[in-house]
Amino acid sequence: MSVLAQLLALRNDPRAQRVPPFLSALCVIVGVVWLLILPLNEYARHTYISENALLPGQVHTYFGGSEHNIFRAYRQEVAALGDKTDDERTEKLVELFKTCGLRVAHQNYQYTAAGKNVTGQNVYAVLQGPRADATEAVVFIGAWRNMDKVLNQSGVALVLTMARYFKRWSLWSKDIIFLITGDSTAGPQAWVDAYHDAHAPSTVDSLTLKSGALQGAVAVDYPAGPWGHRFDKLHVIYDGINGQLPNLDLFNTAVSIASGQMGISCTLQRMWKHDDSYKERLETMLRGMLSQGFGHASGPHSSFIPYHVDAITLQTVGDGWHDEMSLGRTIESIFRSLNNLLEHLHQSFFFYLLMQANRFVSIGTYLPSAMLVAVNFTITSIALWVQSGRPKRLAKIASTEAKKDGEKENITIVKEGEMVAIVPAETFQVTERQLFLPTTFVCGLHFLGLVPLYIFNNTSESSLTNVFTLSTIAALLLPPFASLLFVIVRTPTRQDLTLFSCFSLLLLGMFLSALATLNFSLAFLVGLLTTPLSFVHLCIPSGNSGDSSNPQSSGLIRRALCTATALLLAALSPLTLTFITTWVTKTSTAEILTAASLGWHIHGLWTQVVVWLVWWPAWFAGSVVAWMGAIGSLREP
């Protein structure tokens, strides 16, 4: 009978109230540790080919001999076009493709973002496969300028050479599209949008020449000058827009052919020297997570992945003994493998983290780490919801023994079947929750995030630095001013502050849990940076008299801790972290914000949506609760 009474009164037991913060902290710690053990051999598996039809490296490549002279001739032609206008360059490239016997077309595009115009022209040619029926195609891309704005001389020359070389073969069962884009970001996006009729005709020309469904794309970044340059390794770039990734089979095929058949070592995430140690694996994984979390375009291939077209970029790095013939044979073998496909790549993974060229972990292994970080917010939210409905004075376990002063305790007898329990009457008291103010406040914050989202995506590049500075100052001052405004207009109750945190953390946990299945890295990074929000509710006074023998001293300590918490949150605000990032990477604020604006208008980047409509509102709500705890002025309900 006494056990039943204790169970019924457990929900109002002060000891139960102390469990959620420790449980939330445990979830975060386990989630971080889970991520840190992924590079170990027990969790990081060797890569393998799932699609047997690819048969990587099983064909003999014939690119070489006289093709070397043709390549060098094309490279001189490309070098001569370096200082020409877009129209002159397009006219010459169209002429070169036509001499190969291919159907050729070009496309103009113009984007406007951050007060600047991004214009250019794409040139592409279609090789109709002798054994194809124009229902499937693969794309070979050579951007005129790479991601570093350097003229991709040897890369464009290799596209022209492979177009002439592939035309002589009768084994192609798919059409091959040779694409030379004006740059590495806007050009590929304009072309692939128009290919799928998803473009805006006012800014991007429609394509006059098309083929079948795109099965894959390979881009080459080889900026060697007119006299060539021997390279050491191939840097395989695979990150897509908004953290999307190509099918792992395409990456494995390229690595298997380059390293196994051609003897070219492969690297990724700018890890030029990788000794396969735990530290190197962890660093590679974290670099990949940062790139995936930012969601920006990492090469010409990135624009294809949102259309479910698996694509990668092969970038030459270092000084070694490999030349354009080795790279050409690698490209030939990759396209021979893609030519074998009977259906779209689907058997391997689309969600993975790479530790090195031959080690990976799949989504089933790494996803729990982000989910554990996200669930800590949900645990705290549920605990705060229960806490908001508790009576002000917590009930104690009932007792039938008489008190010393003779006063009778207000108890209630509960019967269920043959079981009887004696519980305090206060257990059944229901504290009405006032939901209007917390709901309006939290929802208003999420709508308020639309303001900075619009401002930063539509401000000119010349004004971005000043706007960012003013926005940072305003964002840091708004929470304490909002707290003072609450005190002046309508001082919130302890229940109001509890529900502020409750609703804010509930939405944050829900959004991050959903986001983890789409962009694991972004969800994990945002969850980790917002972890202090799970403990901000500890700044709210409990309201129980007798909590301390010296209430005044306890109140001062609590206010000092709340002030320190508010300052910590100020250091972890999205704008403050952006400033820290620019200082660490030694890049200008305008450069980062301009890239984000270009990503928003050109690629449909939604990292800003997560920052301003998920992260920032949760940060603002937590900061207001912390400052209210520091002020210490609460109204009794």
Side-chain angles (χ1 to χ4, degrees):
M1 193 105 45
S2 62
V3 175
L4 180 60
Q6 291 181 7
L7 291 176
L8 290 173
L10 183 61
R11 58 181 177 177
N12 286 332
D13 192 337
R15 292 171 295 183
Q17 187 177 351
R18 303 189 188 102
V19 174
F22 293 101
L23 189 57
S24 294
L26 180 63
C27 288
V28 175
I29 293 172
V30 174
V32 173
V33 172
W34 192 300
L35 186 75
L36 294 178
I37 65 175
L38 292 179
L40 299 177
N41 287 333
E42 291 78 5
Y43 303 97
R45 293 186 286 170
H46 282 285
T47 56
Y48 56 93
I49 303 293
S50 298
E51 180 58 72
N52 294 327
L54 284 170
L55 298 174
Q58 299 300 308
V59 297
H60 182 75
T61 54
Y62 297 94
F63 185 77
S66 60
E67 303 300 330
H68 195 186
N69 296 326
I70 296 173
F71 170 83
R72 287 184 291 185
Y74 277 134
R75 188 164 57 191
Q76 295 296 327
E77 294 276 8
V78 172
L81 296 174
D83 55 352
K84 301 295 183 180
T85 63
D86 288 350
D87 292 333
E88 292 174 332
R89 184 184 72 228
T90 297
E91 181 181 357
K92 183 61 177 180
L93 292 176
V94 168
E95 178 186 344
L96 294 176
F97 274 127
K98 284 184 177 180
T99 58
C100 299
L102 303 177
R103 295 182 296 163
V104 192
H106 68 276
Q107 174 200 36
N108 298 320
Y109 61 88
Q110 178 179 359
Y111 293 100
T112 301
K116 59 188 299 186
N117 292 326
V118 180
T119 61
Q121 293 182 346
N122 297 325
V123 180
Y124 65 102
V126 178
L127 167 61
Q128 186 172 357
R131 302 183 181 184
D133 54 0
T135 58
E136 295 179 341
V138 289
V139 187
F140 186 30
I141 312 164
W144 186 255
R145 294 191 181 274
N146 61 15
M147 294 296 292
D148 298 325
K149 311 301 181 184
V150 178
L151 182 61
N152 187 20
Q153 293 188 19
S154 295
V156 174
L158 186 60
V159 172
L160 295 169
T161 307
M162 299 307 289
R164 176 189 173 96
Y165 175 71
F166 285 169
K167 176 65 178 176
R168 304 193 335 237
W169 289 85
S170 61
L171 52 84
W172 303 114
S173 59
K174 292 178 175 56
D175 290 352
I176 301 178
I177 301 174
F178 301 92
L179 173 62
I180 300 177
T181 60
D183 58 19
S184 292
T185 54
Q189 188 67 51
W191 189 87
V192 73
D193 284 345
Y195 194 91
H196 294 90
D197 295 323
H199 64 294
S202 59
T203 58
V204 176
D205 290 350
S206 300
L207 299 184
T208 58
L209 184 62
K210 289 186 180 182
S211 181
L214 302 181
Q215 301 296 302
V218 178
V220 60
D221 181 4
Y222 188 21
W227 306 111
H229 176 77
R230 293 180 179 270
F231 61 93
D232 181 39
K233 298 178 180 179
L234 278 181
H235 183 218
V236 184
I237 309 173
Y238 56 93
D239 305 291
I241 304 296
N242 293 321
Q244 298 181 70
L245 302 174
N247 189 275
L248 189 57
D249 268 346
L250 179 61
F251 177 88
N252 293 338
T253 299
V255 172
S256 176
I257 290 173
S259 59
Q261 185 179 11
M262 304 300 167
I264 307 174
S265 59
C266 296
T267 185
L268 60 149
Q269 300 302 340
R270 298 184 175 273
M271 294 292 293
W272 311 133
K273 295 181 180 180
H274 201 302
D275 57 6
D276 201 24
S277 63
Y278 171 83
K279 179 182 177 182
E280 300 292 337
R281 290 185 185 181
L282 180 62
E283 185 177 352
T284 304
M285 181 186 71
L286 294 179
R287 287 189 178 193
M289 289 180 60
L290 285 175
S291 178
Q292 185 184 27
F294 291 145
H296 58 85
S298 57
H301 69 285
S302 298
S303 301
F304 288 79
I305 298 178
Y307 288 96
H308 304 289
V309 180
D310 303 304
I312 57 173
T313 293
L314 302 180
Q315 181 186 43
T316 60
V317 295
D319 299 320
W321 57 275
H322 301 290
D323 61 359
E324 52 271 6
M325 292 297 100
S326 300
L327 183 58
R329 286 191 293 271
T330 301
I331 297 296
E332 177 188 357
S333 188
I334 291 175
F335 274 82
R336 291 285 296 274
S337 292
L338 293 176
N339 190 58
N340 294 335
L341 284 177
L342 301 177
E343 53 187 337
H344 199 85
L345 287 172
H346 67 282
Q347 296 204 23
S348 192
F349 298 96
F350 287 95
F351 300 92
Y352 50 85
L353 294 177
L354 287 167
M355 310 293 167
Q356 52 126 305
N358 297 308
R359 286 276 184 177
F360 81 105
V361 289
S362 64
I363 185 172
T365 306
Y366 67 73
L367 185 61
S369 60
M371 287 300 185
L372 283 169
V373 174
V375 80
N376 98 86
F377 301 112
T378 306
I379 292 173
T380 304
S381 176
I382 295 173
L384 292 175
W385 176 259
V386 174
Q387 181 181 341
S388 66
R390 282 179 176 152
K392 180 180 176 182
R393 189 173 70 88
L394 297 179
K396 298 180 180 179
I397 297 176
S399 174
T400 56
E401 298 179 1
K403 296 184 178 181
K404 293 181 180 180
D405 55 6
E407 181 184 353
K408 292 184 178 180
E409 185 176 3
N410 187 11
I411 60 175
T412 300
I413 299 177
V414 180
K415 295 182 179 180
E416 184 172 348
E418 298 181 354
M419 296 185 295
V420 180
I422 302 174
V423 297
E426 296 171 357
T427 304
F428 299 96
Q429 292 181 357
V430 178
T431 301
E432 184 179 0
R433 296 180 176 91
Q434 304 296 328
L435 301 179
F436 178 76
L437 178 61
T439 304
T440 304
F441 177 70
V442 174
C443 292
L445 286 180
H446 283 273
F447 281 105
L448 186 62
L450 293 171
V451 175
L453 178 65
Y454 176 83
I455 290 175
F456 285 113
N457 287 327
N458 294 277
T459 302
S460 62
E461 183 179 10
S462 59
S463 303
L464 273 174
T465 301
N466 294 331
V467 170
F468 174 79
T469 303
L470 294 175
S471 299
T472 303
I473 296 173
L476 295 179
L477 293 179
L478 273 177
F481 282 163
S483 303
L484 291 174
L485 186 63
F486 271 127
V487 173
I488 297 172
V489 178
R490 183 190 182 279
T491 303
T493 63
R494 294 180 182 86
Q495 185 189 79
D496 290 333
L497 293 186
T498 302
L499 291 176
F500 284 176
S501 291
C502 173
F503 293 158
S504 176
L505 294 178
L506 179 65
L507 291 175
L508 181 61
M510 179 181 66
F511 289 142
L512 293 183
S513 298
L515 180 63
T517 62
L518 302 174
N519 190 335
F520 161 82
S521 301
L522 182 58
F524 185 86
L525 293 173
V526 173
L528 206 59
L529 293 171
T530 54
T531 295
L533 298 177
S534 292
F535 308 97
V536 170
H537 68 278
L538 299 176
C539 296
I540 305 173
S542 62
N544 292 325
S545 58
D547 284 351
S548 173
S549 57
N550 190 348
Q552 183 176 3
S553 175
S554 176
L556 291 175
I557 295 175
R558 180 183 53 77
R559 291 187 183 185
L561 291 176
C562 291
T563 304
T565 302
L567 295 177
L568 173 63
L569 292 179
L572 293 177
S573 73
L575 291 171
T576 305
L577 290 176
T578 302
F579 174 77
I580 295 174
T581 301
T582 59
W583 181 73
V584 172
T585 59
K586 297 180 180 180
T587 55
S588 65
T589 305
E591 183 179 350
I592 291 180
L593 296 178
T594 300
S597 179
L598 291 173
W600 171 266
H601 289 281
I602 297 176
H603 302 293
L605 191 66
W606 42 258
T607 304
Q608 297 98 308
V609 176
V610 176
V611 171
W612 293 116
L613 301 185
V614 177
W615 180 3
W616 184 80
W619 170 85
F620 195 105
S623 297
V624 168
V625 172
W627 281 112
M628 287 298 300
I631 295 173
S633 177
L634 296 178
R635 179 174 58 87
E636 294 298 332

